[in-house]
């Protein structure tokens, strides 16, 4: 059935104009905004901090004079092992973040920022 005029369409919908505004209009006038989800930003921040720590650890392993640099003893071995383990876990984490971005949306910003910060620190 095809309605030919605007009035016929309104009759078909059984809509009656009223003096009461709709909920959407009231929310728009009052400025009701949906709540902002900061979970992605928090995961990006955590990923950036972890990436900076791992990147500084890796970079310091080859720079003489740093407390964990060449010939620094047990502390250098400890920090170097942690930095290498963090880097070796960052690569599969980034791959899983890209593959599982629908199921675990928090993993992609964390792993992307982590890997980005490691690369930026190592290239600086």
């Amino acid at each position: 059935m095809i309605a030919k005029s605007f009035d016929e369409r309104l009759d078909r919908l059984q809509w009656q104009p009223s003096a009461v505004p709709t909920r959407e209009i009231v929310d728009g006038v009052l400025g009701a905004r949906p709540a902002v989800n900061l979970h992605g930003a928090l995961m990006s921040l955590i990923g950036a901090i972890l990436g900076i720590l791992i990147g500084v650890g890796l970079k310091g392993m080859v720079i003489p004079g740093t407390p964990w640099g060449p010939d620094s003893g047990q502390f250098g071995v400890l920090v170097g092992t942690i930095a290498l383990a963090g880097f070796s876990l960052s690569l599969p984490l980034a791959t899983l973040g890209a593959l599982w971005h629908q199921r675990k949306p928090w993993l992609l910003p964390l792993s992307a920022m982590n890997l980005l910060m490691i690369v930026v620190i190592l290239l600086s």
Side-chain angles (χ1 to χ4, degrees):
M1 179 172 143
I2 299 174
K4 296 180 181 172
S5 72
F6 181 71
D7 292 328
E8 289 176 0
R9 290 181 191 153
L10 288 180
D11 289 339
R12 199 174 80 191
L13 293 173
Q14 298 175 350
W15 178 79
Q16 296 295 325
S18 67
V20 178
T22 62
R23 186 77 186 148
E24 292 83 15
I25 293 174
V26 172
D27 287 344
V29 170
L30 294 178
R33 304 279 190 280
V36 178
N37 185 4
L38 296 177
H39 193 258
L42 179 65
M43 289 294 117
S44 294
L45 180 66
I46 292 170
I49 291 170
L50 286 174
I52 289 170
L53 291 174
I54 293 169
V56 168
L58 290 172
K59 184 107 176 184
M61 286 173 52
V62 295
I63 297 176
T66 57
W68 61 91
D71 301 324
S72 60
Q74 292 288 18
F75 184 68
V77 171
L78 179 68
V79 172
T81 303
I82 292 171
L84 286 173
F87 179 67
S88 63
L89 290 175
S90 294
L91 295 173
L93 185 71
T95 305
L96 289 176
L99 293 176
W100 292 350
H101 71 278
Q102 294 293 331
R103 284 182 272 167
K104 299 183 185 295
W106 57 270
L107 189 58
L108 185 60
L110 183 129
S111 61
M113 284 301 289
N114 182 21
L115 204 55
L116 178 67
M117 289 296 120
I118 291 172
V119 169
V120 166
I121 296 291
L122 290 180
L123 291 178
S124 66

